[in-house]
Amino acid sequence: QITLKESGPTLVKPTQTLTLTCTFSGFSLSTSGVGVGWIRQPPGKALEWLALIYWDDDKRYSPSLKSRLTITKDTSKNQVVLTMTNMDPVDTATYYCAHRLQFRTFDYWGQGTLVTVSS
Amino acid sequence: QSVLTQPPSVSAAPGQKVTISCSGSSSNIGNNYVSWYQQLPGTAPKLLIYDNNKRPSGIPDRFSGSKSATSATLGITGLQTGDEADYCCGTWDSSLSAVVFGGGTKLTVL
């Protein structure tokens, strides 16, 4: 059974760096074809993909946010970490991590964590 | 502005059928697999359809997916009040090298 759970601060100040951790179980990020992605959703708005990391450490980023994002993995801890620099109130959103199935879809999602950016 | 275009809302009566469209281009839907996600109020997205028309285990066959050229469609038959949710399409965009999503469609079961 695959599960994922996001953790991190619920409130960050403008210009600060956000660090979110996705802790997962039921799969290994050292298995060929496996990936984990981050997706966010501002209140009342659409899903927005942020980043992906694969078993071979291949990393992909949203072109519009690439300069602010870093995704890493710790295979031994079953964790994926996303950092986003220079946070702004428009970055207020629920942040989800999800299991990527063979490059094609997100088949399991975490419950999400709401991050509010405010001074 | 989402890369994939969906109608903001659709509605139908219980027991009826509804379709939700997702329009893209050759760089995304035209050459990549499409997924559909259901998001019930206050919950995380849930995979409904992947690889254009496949259902994960546990998804009833009332839900179906299809793709033609640069558009995809989600169909739901035998509508139930529990189907009221937001539905979103997603795929890979080869030109952007990015995962792209539609803007989401809110389904109301009248």
Side-chain angles (χ1 to χ4, degrees), chain A residues 40-73:
Chain A
R40 71 179 179 179
Q41 185 173 36
K45 296 189 177 182
L47 297 173
E48 179 184 20
W49 171 69
L50 301 176
L52 270 171
I53 189 165
Y54 288 103
W55 85 102
D56 59 356
D57 211 37
D58 182 20
K59 301 169 186 178
R60 306 297 176 101
Y61 296 101
S62 164
S64 63
L65 294 167
K66 184 174 183 177
S67 63
R68 299 173 54 204
L69 297 173
T70 302
I71 189 169
T72 60
K73 63 181 175 68

Side-chain angles (χ1 to χ4, degrees), chain B residues 46 48-49 55-64:
Chain B
K46 174 184 176 182
L48 275 184
I49 298 289
R55 283 176 288 105
S57 174
I59 301 300
D61 59 6
R62 299 188 300 108
F63 295 91
S64 64

Side-chain angles (χ1 to χ4, degrees), chain B residues 3-106:
Chain B
V3 173
L4 305 179
T5 301
Q6 297 181 234
S9 63
V10 295
S11 62
Q16 298 300 304
K17 173 182 178 178
V18 72
T19 60
I20 297 173
S21 61
C22 175
S23 178
S25 68
S26 59
S27 65
N28 42 65
I29 292 178
N31 284 283
N32 293 286
Y33 288 115
V34 177
S35 298
W36 287 93
Y37 304 92
Q38 176 194 58
Q39 192 170 21
L40 297 169
T43 69
K46 174 184 176 182
L47 180 63
L48 275 184
I49 298 289
Y50 69 101
D51 287 1
N52 306 327
N53 55 19
K54 296 178 182 175
R55 283 176 288 105
S57 174
I59 301 300
D61 59 6
R62 299 188 300 108
F63 295 91
S64 64
S66 64
K67 189 180 95 168
S68 178
T70 59
S71 291
T73 301
L74 173 69
I76 311 173
T77 59
L79 277 171
Q80 303 171 1
T81 55
D83 295 332
E84 285 203 336
D86 289 323
Y87 293 85
C88 179
C89 55
T91 187
W92 179 257
D93 190 297
S94 305
S95 294
L96 297 174
S97 289
V99 174
V100 292
F101 292 105
T105 299
K106 182 177 178 59

Side-chain angles (χ1 to χ4, degrees), chain A residues 79-96:
Chain A
Q79 289 182 334
V80 171
V81 175
L82 180 76
T83 61
M84 179 180 290
T85 61
N86 195 24
M87 294 292 285
D88 182 272
V90 300
D91 296 313
T92 294
T94 296
Y95 287 74
Y96 298 99

